[in-house]
């Protein structure tokens, strides 16, 4: 895809997209959100032949959104994401408040979706067809309800063996929470961490062993990036060079590797459902509700801000006041 030139518009000479990134970081949005938003702004500028956004208004925004929906068949969630990215640009960087009534559209509402849920036997069958360390990662997502990136970003300090819990820091929405550590995986997890520690000590012996530190902790704790407790639970097999400081580091396993492995395992287990990493989080929540745990407890374990989000799992329960038995049965 052709990349548009980055226009400038700051008295200090900063390029527009640099200003945009800075504004996003001030709001403490996640790096993934930053990357996605920046790419949508690039496409918005490119669509209008590299015109500066300050020269455009609601009509140009509408044209771009219409193009995405009509020509590229963008979903409602994608449409909402693009609208948010563009409105953020005008409000927080250009300091222009677009009148959304002039845009000729409203944010589309996503239809209700019933999540794909595995039975306990199906979940176990998929796990049995996986190899380490992916098997252990799926066991954590299913047994603790973690999101994909929450699992990948786990660090040694986040595993609390004594209290049988996993601490999730800076989850979706920026909140921290704790969730149970399954007793059944503790021996395998300890064995995995012993191997991981051996890799880390070997890295240190070769003058490496550094890991990316979140926020400004690298400055606050200069040597923490090489300490054991800050290392990833599931480190990658190769190194990468950090663009920010040029240091060669070992990152966590890439999400696509786990996604691909889960798909292969589901095929081997002959599960005729669309299985993704998030399916195990859905199954975690549903099985807890089926076991009789109250929805507020499940909400807290999942890290949902609104109980309405957790309520989607009640639609797949086969019990309770809303359970309906087919007249054919």
């Amino acid at each position: 895809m052709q990349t548009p030139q980055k226009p400038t518009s700051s008295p200090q000479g900063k390029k527009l997209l640099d200003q945009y990134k800075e504004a996003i970081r001030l709001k403490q949005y996640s790096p993934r959100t930053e990357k996605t938003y920046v790419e949508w702004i690039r496409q918005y500028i490119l669509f209008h032949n590299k015109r500066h956004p300050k020269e455009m208004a609601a009509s140009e925004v509408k044209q771009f959104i219409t193009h995405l929906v009509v020509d590229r068949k963008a979903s409602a969630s994608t449409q909402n994401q693009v609208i948010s990215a563009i409105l953020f640009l005008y409000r927080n960087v250009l300091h222009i408040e677009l009148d959304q009534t002039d845009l000729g559209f409203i944010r589309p509402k996503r239809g209700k979706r019933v999540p794909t849920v595995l039975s306990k036997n199906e979940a176990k069958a998929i796990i049995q067809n996986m190899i380490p360390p992916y098997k252990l990662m799926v066991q954590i997502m299913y047994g603790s309800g973690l999101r994909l990136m929450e699992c990948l970003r786990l660090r040694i300090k986040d595993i609390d063996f004594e209290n049988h819990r996993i601490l999730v820091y800076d989850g979706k929405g920026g909140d921290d929470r704790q969730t149970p550590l399954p007793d059944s995986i503790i021996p395998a997890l300890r064995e995995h961490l012993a191997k991981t520690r051996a890799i880390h000590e070997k890295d240190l012996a070769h003058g490496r062993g550094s890991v990316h530190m979140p926020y400004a902790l690298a400055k606050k704790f200069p040597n923490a990036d090489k300490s054991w407790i800050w290392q990833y639970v599931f480190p990658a097999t190769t190194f990468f060079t950090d663009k920010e400081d040029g240091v060669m580091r070992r990152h966590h396993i890439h999400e696509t590797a786990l996604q691909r492995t889960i798909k292969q395992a589901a095929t081997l287990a002959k599960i005729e459902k669309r299985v993704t990493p998030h399916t195990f989080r859905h199954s975690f929540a549903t099985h807890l509700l089926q076991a009789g745990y109250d929805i507020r407890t499940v909400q807290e374990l999942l890290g949902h801000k609104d109980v309405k989000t957790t309520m989607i799992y009640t639609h797949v329960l086969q019990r309770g006041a809303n359970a309906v038995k087919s007249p054919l049965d």
Side-chain angles (χ1 to χ4, degrees):
M1 183 181 69
Q2 183 181 359
T3 302
Q5 295 177 352
K6 301 176 184 178
T8 60
S9 72
S10 169
Q12 291 78 26
K14 287 187 179 179
K15 295 181 179 180
L16 179 64
L17 291 187
D18 289 337
Q19 296 175 60
Y20 190 71
K21 292 176 184 178
E22 189 175 272
I24 287 177
R25 291 171 187 176
L26 284 172
K27 295 287 185 180
Q28 295 193 344
Y29 285 21
S30 72
R32 291 169 72 89
T33 299
E34 176 186 324
K35 183 178 179 181
T36 302
Y37 275 27
V38 167
E39 181 55 33
W40 283 125
I41 298 305
R42 287 182 191 273
Q43 294 192 35
Y44 172 57
I45 295 171
L46 179 60
F47 178 77
H48 289 293
N49 299 316
K50 303 180 184 178
R51 289 172 61 194
H52 196 288
K54 187 175 286 187
E55 300 172 358
M56 299 185 282
S59 60
E60 284 81 6
V61 176
K62 181 181 178 181
Q63 289 172 22
F64 180 58
I65 299 297
T66 301
H67 159 69
L68 293 177
V69 174
V70 176
D71 300 328
R72 293 173 53 178
K73 312 299 181 186
S75 66
S77 59
T78 298
Q79 187 177 341
N80 274 317
Q81 185 183 69
V82 178
I83 294 169
S84 296
I86 293 176
L87 290 179
F88 187 94
L89 170 69
Y90 280 94
R91 287 173 181 166
N92 298 279
V93 180
L94 301 178
H95 305 294
I96 299 172
E97 190 64 37
L98 294 177
D99 186 350
Q100 295 191 48
T101 59
D102 291 339
L103 295 177
F105 64 84
I106 58 174
R107 287 182 179 272
K109 291 185 178 180
R110 295 180 62 183
K112 289 184 178 180
R113 298 287 184 269
V114 176
T116 299
V117 174
L118 301 168
S119 68
K120 290 184 178 180
N121 288 334
E122 288 173 333
K124 290 178 181 178
I126 293 173
I127 291 171
Q128 287 173 356
N129 280 281
M130 302 190 75
I131 60 174
Y134 303 107
K135 179 178 181 179
L136 191 56
M137 297 165 77
V138 172
Q139 287 175 314
I140 288 176
M141 287 191 292
Y142 175 48
S144 306
L146 268 62
R147 299 178 177 90
L148 170 61
M149 295 310 298
E150 289 173 346
C151 178
L152 294 175
R153 290 170 178 162
L154 281 177
R155 300 185 189 245
I156 304 303
K157 66 180 183 59
D158 303 334
I159 308 297
D160 185 352
F161 286 108
E162 291 299 318
N163 293 301
H164 298 258
R165 64 178 182 170
I166 293 176
L167 305 173
V168 181
Y169 292 102
D170 198 22
K172 188 174 181 180
D175 293 335
D176 300 341
R177 72 181 193 280
Q178 60 181 12
T179 189
L181 171 63
D183 292 344
S184 59
I185 70 169
I186 288 179
L189 183 56
R190 287 190 182 278
E191 182 180 351
H192 168 77
L193 292 182
K195 295 177 181 178
T196 301
R197 185 156 199 166
I199 293 172
H200 177 57
E201 290 176 352
K202 184 177 179 181
D203 289 346
L204 290 174
H206 288 83
R208 296 178 178 173
S210 174
V211 72
H212 174 75
M213 296 292 288
Y215 304 114
L217 291 179
K219 293 182 179 180
K220 187 175 182 180
F221 306 110
N223 299 318
D225 63 323
K226 291 188 177 182
S227 68
W228 165 239
I229 65 170
W230 280 100
Q231 302 304 305
Y232 288 114
V233 173
F234 300 107
T237 56
T238 58
F239 293 92
F240 83 105
T241 301
D242 196 320
K243 293 180 181 179
E244 293 185 4
D245 53 19
V247 175
M248 187 171 286
R249 294 191 169 95
R250 192 183 290 276
H251 204 45
H252 57 66
I253 289 175
H254 198 274
E255 61 263 35
T256 56
L258 179 56
Q259 291 166 341
R260 182 172 57 251
T261 306
I262 287 174
K263 185 177 180 180
Q264 293 170 347
T267 300
L268 289 173
K270 298 181 179 180
I271 304 300
E272 297 179 346
K273 296 177 180 178
R274 181 176 178 270
V275 183
T276 68
H278 216 65
T279 304
F280 293 94
R281 177 174 159 88
H282 292 323
S283 303
F284 165 83
T286 303
H287 294 165
L288 286 183
L289 291 171
Q290 288 175 333
Y293 290 95
D294 67 274
I295 197 163
R296 292 289 182 180
T297 298
V298 177
Q299 175 193 359
E300 185 176 339
L301 292 175
L302 292 174
H304 289 161
K305 290 184 180 295
D306 192 334
V307 73
K308 290 181 181 179
T309 307
T310 318
M311 287 292 290
I312 64 171
Y313 300 110
T314 62
H315 294 298
V316 293
L317 293 179
Q318 304 202 351
R319 61 173 181 79
N322 293 329
V324 176
K325 188 173 182 179
S326 171
L328 186 62
D329 298 328

